[in-house]
Amino acid sequence: MPVLLADFPYLTVSILSPLVALIVIMLLPEEQKKTIKLVGVASAVVSLAVCLYLYWAYDRTVGGIQFAERMDWIPGLGIKYFVGVDGINAPLLLLNGIVYLTGCLTMWELELRVKEYFAWIAALVAGVFGVYASFDLFFFFMFYEIGLLPMYLLIAIWGSTRKEYAAMKLTLYLLAGSTLIFPGLLALYTYSPIKTFDWLILSQQHFTLEQQKLIFGLLYFGFGVLAAIWPFHTWSPVGHVAAPTSTSMLHAGVLMKLGAFGILRIAMQLAPQGLVYWAPTMALLATIGIVYGALAGLAQTDLKYIIGYSSVSHMGVVCLGLSTLTVDGINGAVFQMFAHGIMTALFFSAVGYIYDRTHTREIYDLGGFSKIMPVASAFFIIAALCGLGCPGFASFWAELLVFVAAFQVYPVKGVLAVCALVIATLFALRVIMRTFYVAPNPKFTGPGFADVGLFLASPRIILVGTLIIFGLFPRLMVDVIQTAVEPFVRTLV
Amino acid sequence: MNATVFLPELAVMAMALLMFVVSMAKPNAQRDFTLAVVLGAVVVAAGVASLRSEGLLFFGTYRIDIFSQVFKIALGVGLLLAISVCLDFKGVDENLHGEYYTFMATGTLGLMMLVSSMELLTMYVALELSSYSLYVMLPMRRGFAHDAEASIKYVLFGAVSSCIMVFGLSFIYGLTHTTMLSEIMPQIPVLASQPLGLAAILMTICGFFFKLTVFPFHAWAPDVYQGAANETATFIATAPKVGAVALLLRLVTLAGVDGVGLVKVLIILSVASMTFGNLVAIVQKDLKRMLAYSSIAHAGYVIIGVLTLSELGYMSSIYYIFGYLLMNFAVFMVVVKVSQDGGNVSIEQLAGLYKRAPLLALTLMLSLFALAGIPPSVGFVGKWMLFTAALEKGYLWLVIIAAANSTVSLYYYLCVVRAAYCMSPGDLPAVKIDMPTRVMSYVMIAAIVGVGVVPAPLIEMARSAARTLL
């Protein structure tokens, strides 16, 4: 696999940008709320600009790991600082940059403990950038935990429904997943003849089938907790509901993808024979997750719960794609990670605007919002349609690729997955009707419920724009992903 | 012979004598504190100056090598840190300050001599020197009558552990006809294979399990931590553990490369300590009590590195216990500063610390997360190394149990962080912190995070220390 070193440490800049923002924010006093928010947005712009550049400048004809930075960190333990861009993490880095920026803009109206909020978000985002960029297992895990832990305080302090319970459950559950990941990663080091944590070197080592089955099992279930694989998903809807808006955006949009990314990058690419052994189980649990998420979503009446369960369902689509072991399936899975991330960020952003004003998310209390706030409603409806796989948006292509591959490899599960789409349509349309189209609740007609202005709408517009661009020009995304997936699938055959 | 060879011990002895003389003068907290800090710094400097010394003193009973000198620096640092929290010394009456610092110095002297001991009786005498110093420091707390239980428990448990240890030492002597470790080493294969030999080694190690609070020698810890003055608890929670780990490592090498029996026992003790410590810590309401149970759990983690009998394992244990010194000290520093008039601090009394003292809250949070093994901290790198060493030797289930225990421990640490960050202060008073405390907080944060992000120097130092053992 070609490794092209970077002439300028772009990735380190994109990881450090939120960390620098963190330090600057810690030094500012709480009273200067506007400045703090501006610092956050500025660092998001820097990171996003870098990620956009990397995505655009990634050479599709060469493939491999580009813009790599590799230096010894703890030589005695075989630990290197090794970051790079390849076809799989380029879209995800871009996703993180977009959701960070739109998240900061969405929280523009925050008044409570602004300094600590933006500081924690910066730490979280830095961790996520680090995970996506890392090609060394030590740094991968280190950034992974850095990205997970801020969730506790973000939810416990600024959250809403049952925030303390949700924060503790989410944190403990996700760190219980780490309990399985940790030995899995160390097992790779232990069983490898060359003692290193370098991903590239490990990908060329040979592990026995028994070792691979064990490693893949540990890593799949460990990362699977974060990827909301049924039955380890119960922390997810509760966490989504309780979290404040931009935390939910980052959480569902970016953090859950970390789990699937971990499965792909580490478990699948380092233990491919283990993957072949576990693939049917993966497909089964993924399909159950898709159907279960859709059915559970049908029973919900709280907007965020509905989005939460639909996230579980969509992450099931990602895992189903990964388990097909075909180029289309894995392409679709990574595309779905990106598309669902943007879509769910849009969902939460739209709900956040409405909730901030009405202080309720019950669909039976809300009503007729398309008359009260047409533009804000439009954002939510677009997201809902996107979630159904409506053509013209990025999710259509992602789900199409996954379902086509699933039909070929697991016909029954593929059919079930598509049926779940119908159920998803049912609850999405019901939500839209109840929240936006029946007679307006008189409580909410009045001056306090103005429609969203241009500035506050900007994050949502960015998200919608992204969905449309990649919906109309899917090759922009698939071409990049393919450069990494094709060589990998060839090694599986 | 190089003059620096005995320098740290001489520095600590000088400190003990000077503080003893000062203690006979009129009590003056400010003067005693300043003198103690200066002398503590001298001790650390002496340790650093003698880092590269080598030698065999006192008829071969006392060895100076990188291993011992590295630990002496750590002990010096522990001493200095424990003195530094005595700035506004609320826990002990002013006319006992001189005596307090004296015994701190003699305790550190005992620990320093312990890490260099190469002969069984020297080891025992050094251990007793450090133990007695701590026994005496405990009842010095203001309002002694109320906390007598802690002091008596400490003495009794310590005495029993020392008895068992001496009993074990006597068996070793009986089997090998010598008390010099250098002469016992060649006889190890024979020694460890006999049941009596194994029992002897185990009994000897018991003395150190007591100091390290390994299950089942842990029972004194919660009451002693709770009953001690906050400043005393700071010292007890940090320095003796470092000394105990040093001797434990030296003694375990007595078991030879494949001491299967000993390893089995250590695995059981490690799992028991981790599990017991973590589970019981969950229900604690008093902060120091919770920290005592957490120290039982951390003893379990350290033993994982010891039982691997490999260079990586010993290195990990050394790195971990140094990191533990820093992390634990940071938490106790917060306890000392938050407490009203030197009383105990319950977790509820930390409520709203983010408003009352933001810097202390940050220090508390970072050090608790470091204890839980969350990156980027020294605790994370330590756990990474320990688990790698264990997995290298094939102990998969031990690693899974330890990782699960880390997650469990996160729960009770999060409860404290929750109190500090999520609860409102109510009518709890603001906490005023002075400039030295502010500086110490920044230093501790920088140390805990810095050593976690750039661990290579400390790891290499731990490696060279571990190499001299093997």
Side-chain angles (χ1 to χ4, degrees):
Chain A
M1 183 184 298
V3 178
L4 299 171
L5 291 175
D7 49 2
F8 177 80
Y10 291 111
L11 277 171
T12 311
V13 166
S14 83
I15 298 175
L16 283 180
S17 159
L19 285 176
V20 166
L22 168 68
I23 296 177
V24 170
I25 291 174
M26 290 302 288
L27 295 170
L28 288 168
E30 168 74 25
E31 293 72 44
Q32 292 185 11
K33 298 189 199 240
K34 199 88 174 280
T35 321
I36 292 173
K37 292 170 187 170
L38 278 170
V39 169
V41 171
S43 76
V45 168
V46 167
S47 288
L48 179 58
V50 169
C51 292
L52 269 170
Y53 170 71
L54 291 173
Y55 189 84
W56 171 79
Y58 183 78
D59 191 339
R60 280 135 235 237
T61 52
V62 173
I65 304 177
Q66 299 176 18
F67 301 103
E69 299 163 48
R70 198 178 192 178
M71 65 168 142
D72 278 335
W73 197 259
I74 309 178
L77 290 174
I79 295 176
K80 290 197 192 72
Y81 176 71
F82 185 6
V83 293
V85 181
D86 80 343
I88 294 176
N89 68 8
L92 297 171
L93 286 167
L94 184 62
L95 170 71
N96 196 25
I98 295 177
V99 177
Y100 181 28
L101 176 62
T102 52
C104 283
L105 289 172
T106 307
M107 289 312 267
W108 197 258
E109 301 176 295
L110 180 71
E111 290 298 314
L112 170 69
R113 292 167 76 172
V114 174
K115 170 171 153 169
E116 289 164 279
Y117 187 83
F118 277 83
W120 282 117
I121 293 275
L124 195 158
V125 171
V128 177
F129 272 130
V131 176
Y132 286 141
S134 281
F135 280 96
D136 175 283
L137 299 185
F138 174 80
F139 276 97
F140 188 99
F141 192 66
M142 183 179 99
F143 283 121
Y144 182 87
E145 302 257 291
I146 293 179
L148 283 189
L149 201 68
M151 293 300 293
Y152 179 76
L153 283 171
L154 283 170
I155 298 179
I157 302 177
W158 292 275
S160 49
T161 321
R162 293 200 295 172
K163 56 186 177 176
E164 303 235 333
Y165 167 74
M168 189 61 87
K169 180 172 186 171
L170 183 148
T171 311
L172 288 181
Y173 219 135
L174 293 181
L175 282 145
S178 299
T179 305
L180 292 173
I181 300 174
F182 212 158
L185 294 177
L186 297 182
L188 282 164
Y189 173 90
T190 309
Y191 296 141
S192 150
I194 303 181
K195 293 291 164 211
T196 178
F197 287 105
D198 183 320
W199 180 88
L200 195 56
I201 300 178
L202 285 173
S203 65
Q204 290 151 357
Q205 300 308 309
H206 172 75
F207 302 100
T208 70
L209 181 61
E210 283 312 308
Q211 288 170 347
Q212 292 201 26
K213 280 196 222 171
L214 171 68
I215 292 173
F216 192 90
L218 284 172
L219 292 173
Y220 171 64
F221 286 107
F223 283 117
V225 173
L226 183 53
I229 289 181
W230 187 93
F232 304 114
H233 67 284
T234 52
W235 56 272
S236 170
V238 175
H240 284 141
V241 167
T245 307
S246 80
T247 308
S248 293
M249 287 168 71
L250 279 166
H251 178 77
V254 159
L255 271 180
M256 281 170 80
K257 314 301 175 282
L258 275 187
F261 178 73
I263 296 178
L264 175 55
R265 173 68 89 218
I266 304 196
M268 286 172 65
Q269 292 188 302
L270 293 181
Q273 290 172 303
L275 164 66
V276 171
Y277 173 79
W278 281 97
T281 316
M282 268 178 85
L284 178 64
L285 289 179
T287 315
I288 297 179
I290 298 174
V291 177
Y292 178 86
L295 285 175
L298 200 51
Q300 303 304 319
T301 55
D302 178 324
L303 276 175
K304 269 180 142 179
Y305 261 114
I306 294 171
I307 305 171
Y309 278 107
S310 101
S311 283
V312 172
S313 189
H314 285 283
M315 287 307 293
V317 172
V318 171
C319 290
L320 183 61
L322 291 176
S323 68
T324 59
L325 310 182
T326 60
V327 174
D328 281 337
I330 302 181
N331 276 345
V334 179
F335 199 166
Q336 172 74 334
M337 285 193 226
F338 179 84
H340 175 250
I342 302 281
M343 174 192 91
T344 223
L346 178 61
F347 252 137
F348 282 112
S349 190
V351 171
Y353 184 80
I354 298 175
Y355 180 70
D356 282 341
R357 277 146 190 77
T358 61
H359 298 291
T360 176
R361 294 185 303 256
E362 289 291 318
I363 60 179
Y364 290 106
D365 283 341
L366 299 166
F369 266 79
S370 64
K371 290 211 184 58
I372 303 172
M373 312 176 174
V375 179
S377 312
F379 292 131
F380 187 94
I381 297 173
I382 292 176
L385 289 176
C386 187
L388 305 179
C390 188
F393 296 113
S395 305
F396 169 68
W397 298 108
E399 294 186 351
L400 181 68
L401 283 169
V402 170
F403 289 146
V404 163
F407 270 136
Q408 288 167 348
V409 183
Y410 305 108
V412 175
K413 299 188 177 91
V415 168
L416 282 173
V418 178
C419 291
L421 258 189
V422 177
I423 304 176
T425 312
L426 186 55
F427 74 68
L429 291 179
R430 186 178 69 133
V431 167
I432 294 176
M433 178 187 80
R434 280 263 132 230
T435 314
F436 301 106
Y437 285 106
V438 294
N441 188 330
K443 250 199 303 187
F444 302 131
T445 54
F449 303 96
D451 202 358
V452 54
L454 184 59
F455 176 68
L456 281 178
S458 56
R460 294 136 186 135
I461 295 175
I462 296 175
L463 293 167
V464 171
T466 316
L467 285 171
I468 294 181
I469 293 176
F470 287 104
L472 295 178
F473 306 106
R475 288 285 297 267
L476 283 179
M477 173 78 49
V478 179
D479 280 352
V480 172
I481 302 175
Q482 196 146 287
T483 58
V485 173
E486 229 168 48
F488 167 61
V489 174
R490 254 183 277 134
T491 65
L492 286 177
V493 174
Chain B
M1 196 188 310
N2 207 334
T4 59
V5 133
F6 205 54
L7 205 53
E9 290 87 338
L10 285 175
V12 177
M13 265 194 255
M15 176 175 171
L17 287 170
L18 267 167
M19 293 312 303
F20 174 61
V21 167
V22 162
S23 74
M24 293 192 282
K26 201 138 165 256
N28 180 337
Q30 192 56 32
R31 171 203 71 209
D32 291 341
F33 173 74
T34 319
L35 195 55
V37 167
V38 167
L39 290 171
V42 167
V43 168
V44 176
V48 173
S50 66
L51 179 59
R52 303 263 162 225
S53 315
E54 307 257 327
L56 202 57
L57 305 176
F58 306 126
F59 310 105
T61 62
Y62 201 79
R63 168 172 321 153
I64 315 279
D65 52 22
I66 293 259
F67 178 80
S68 68
Q69 298 312 88
V70 158
F71 272 92
K72 281 176 196 164
I73 296 178
L75 287 168
V77 168
L79 173 67
L80 182 59
L81 290 176
I83 293 175
S84 72
V85 289
C86 298
L87 176 55
D88 186 18
F89 206 163
K90 300 175 260 198
V92 169
D93 207 38
E94 194 180 16
N95 52 19
L96 285 175
H97 284 188
E99 285 85 342
Y100 185 87
Y101 294 126
T102 310
F103 287 117
M104 248 176 144
T106 56
T108 310
L109 175 64
L111 290 168
M112 282 190 180
M113 299 187 76
L114 193 59
V115 306
S116 268
S117 307
M118 287 303 281
E119 190 260 336
L120 300 181
L121 284 178
T122 314
M123 196 161 51
Y124 182 70
V125 170
L127 185 65
E128 291 299 277
L129 176 60
S130 66
S131 301
Y132 285 134
S133 309
L134 291 173
Y135 298 157
V136 176
M137 275 166 72
L138 211 60
M140 284 185 187
R141 188 177 203 187
R142 231 186 267 258
F144 161 55
H146 166 70
D147 294 312
E149 178 188 352
S151 319
I152 294 179
K153 264 199 181 138
Y154 199 25
V155 172
L156 284 178
F157 270 97
V160 170
S161 309
S162 296
C163 285
I164 299 179
M165 179 172 165
V166 160
F167 201 19
L169 290 178
S170 72
F171 281 140
I172 295 185
Y173 177 67
L175 288 170
T176 59
H177 306 297
T178 172
T179 60
M180 302 287 289
L181 281 181
S182 53
E183 287 164 30
I184 296 177
M185 293 292 237
Q187 305 187 38
I188 286 316
V190 176
L191 186 65
S193 57
Q194 295 173 333
L196 187 59
L198 181 60
I201 296 175
L202 270 174
M203 283 199 276
T204 309
I205 296 182
C206 284
F208 302 102
F209 284 160
F210 164 76
K211 275 221 155 0
L212 194 55
T213 62
V214 176
F215 184 98
F217 303 93
H218 63 281
W220 60 274
D223 293 310
V224 168
Y225 278 43
Q226 192 178 18
N230 297 332
E231 296 84 352
T232 316
T234 310
F235 188 58
I236 294 180
T238 51
K241 300 205 188 301
V242 176
V245 168
L247 238 304
L248 195 60
L249 287 171
R250 275 221 209 270
L251 287 174
V252 161
T253 52
L254 278 189
V257 197
D258 40 29
V260 171
L262 183 63
V263 168
K264 282 209 188 100
V265 174
L266 286 177
I267 292 180
I268 295 174
L269 291 182
S270 163
V271 171
S273 300
M274 288 190 282
T275 317
F276 175 81
N278 280 322
L279 289 180
V280 184
I282 291 176
V283 293
Q284 299 306 319
K285 305 255 183 323
D286 179 277
L287 188 55
K288 279 194 296 177
R289 232 181 141 77
M290 183 203 92
L291 288 169
Y293 283 108
S294 116
S295 74
I296 298 173
H298 282 278
Y301 299 134
V302 170
I303 298 219
I304 293 180
V306 172
L307 63 86
T308 59
L309 305 180
S310 67
E311 180 186 303
L312 182 59
Y314 293 159
M315 193 168 114
S316 321
S317 287
I318 296 174
Y319 180 88
Y320 195 79
I321 201 69
F322 288 168
Y324 182 73
L325 175 70
L326 296 173
M327 302 185 281
N328 224 19
F329 168 73
V331 183
F332 273 99
M333 180 183 79
V334 175
V335 172
V336 169
K337 296 301 165 196
V338 170
S339 94
Q340 306 285 90
D341 314 315
N344 283 348
V345 177
S346 75
I347 296 179
E348 281 148 8
Q349 284 175 313
L350 287 174
L353 198 63
Y354 75 95
K355 245 200 203 133
R356 293 157 60 197
L359 185 58
L360 284 184
L362 184 64
T363 315
L364 181 67
M365 179 183 70
L366 285 175
S367 43
L368 286 176
F369 284 163
L371 284 169
I374 304 288
S377 66
V378 61
F380 170 69
V381 177
K383 288 217 167 98
W384 182 276
M385 287 170 61
L386 282 170
F387 295 169
T388 308
L391 208 53
E392 286 265 279
K393 289 282 174 165
Y395 301 120
L396 176 64
W397 275 107
L398 185 59
V399 171
I400 293 182
I401 292 175
N405 267 302
S406 283
T407 306
V408 171
S409 73
L410 187 65
Y411 171 72
Y412 56 80
Y413 292 135
L414 274 179
C415 284
V416 179
V417 172
R418 177 177 56 153
Y421 274 89
C422 305
M423 308 206 318
S424 75
D427 2 300
L428 289 165
V431 177
K432 274 212 251 319
I433 51 177
D434 40 22
M435 184 50 83
T437 313
R438 217 171 262 284
V439 168
M440 274 310 294
S441 302
Y442 286 128
V443 166
M444 290 320 295
I445 293 176
I448 292 174
V449 175
V451 177
V453 173
V454 190
L458 187 56
I459 290 183
E460 287 315 306
M461 198 161 75
R463 186 193 293 277
S464 40
R467 279 229 178 96
T468 57
L469 274 178
L470 290 163

